[in-house]
Amino acid sequence: MTSPAVLPVYRWRLAPEGLATRRQLRAVGLRPGGQHVIAQLERPRRRRGPLVAYLYRIDRAKPVRPMTAARWAALDRANAARRRCPACRRDAGYVIPVSLGVCVPCHDLTEQRAT
């Protein structure tokens, strides 16, 4: 069994030209396109481990796939589902927080009943 390849590690803002993170690729309309991670970028933090971002080659990146009408429709349905309260089945008008699980009025109502 072979050991996994060790990635080169660069400090924050010191990555060589020609490498970019996923977010940087996306900002210029590109995606990794199936290529493997080339290196990693580390940003030190004081009391925790470093933040890590993976780097990809820009010259091997592919253009972002365009959104089709079906994809837009699926995205609209997914966002609508995140706004619908499972308790009262109404559209809350905002994305329901995962920490609450229900809309704010339903959460407040259940807290009042508990006390």
Side-chain angles (χ1 to χ4, degrees):
M1 185 170 182
T2 60
S3 62
V6 177
L7 293 175
V9 177
Y10 297 102
R11 302 237 341 146
W12 193 250
R13 299 184 189 266
L14 296 178
E17 293 292 322
L19 299 181
T21 64
R22 282 181 179 268
R23 283 188 177 193
Q24 291 169 334
L25 289 174
R26 186 63 182 215
V28 293
L30 298 173
R31 61 186 169 95
Q35 65 175 302
H36 294 288
V37 174
I38 301 299
Q40 75 182 36
L41 191 66
E42 287 189 353
R43 179 179 179 198
R45 295 191 290 181
R46 291 183 185 202
R47 295 187 178 101
R48 294 182 283 179
L51 289 174
V52 176
Y54 297 111
L55 297 170
Y56 302 90
R57 288 182 49 173
I58 296 173
D59 60 343
R60 290 187 183 171
K62 296 180 180 178
V64 174
R65 294 182 186 121
M67 287 290 283
T68 63
R71 284 186 179 177
W72 280 115
L75 185 61
D76 288 340
R77 286 191 306 272
N79 285 332
R82 293 176 66 200
R83 288 190 310 265
R84 185 160 308 277
C85 176
C88 65
R89 307 299 300 160
R90 290 189 301 219
D91 185 349
Y94 54 87
V95 174
I96 295 172
V98 177
S99 60
L100 298 180
V102 293
C103 65
V104 174
C106 289
H107 181 262
D108 292 343
L109 186 64
T110 56
E111 279 194 354
Q112 285 177 358
R113 288 181 185 166
T115 56

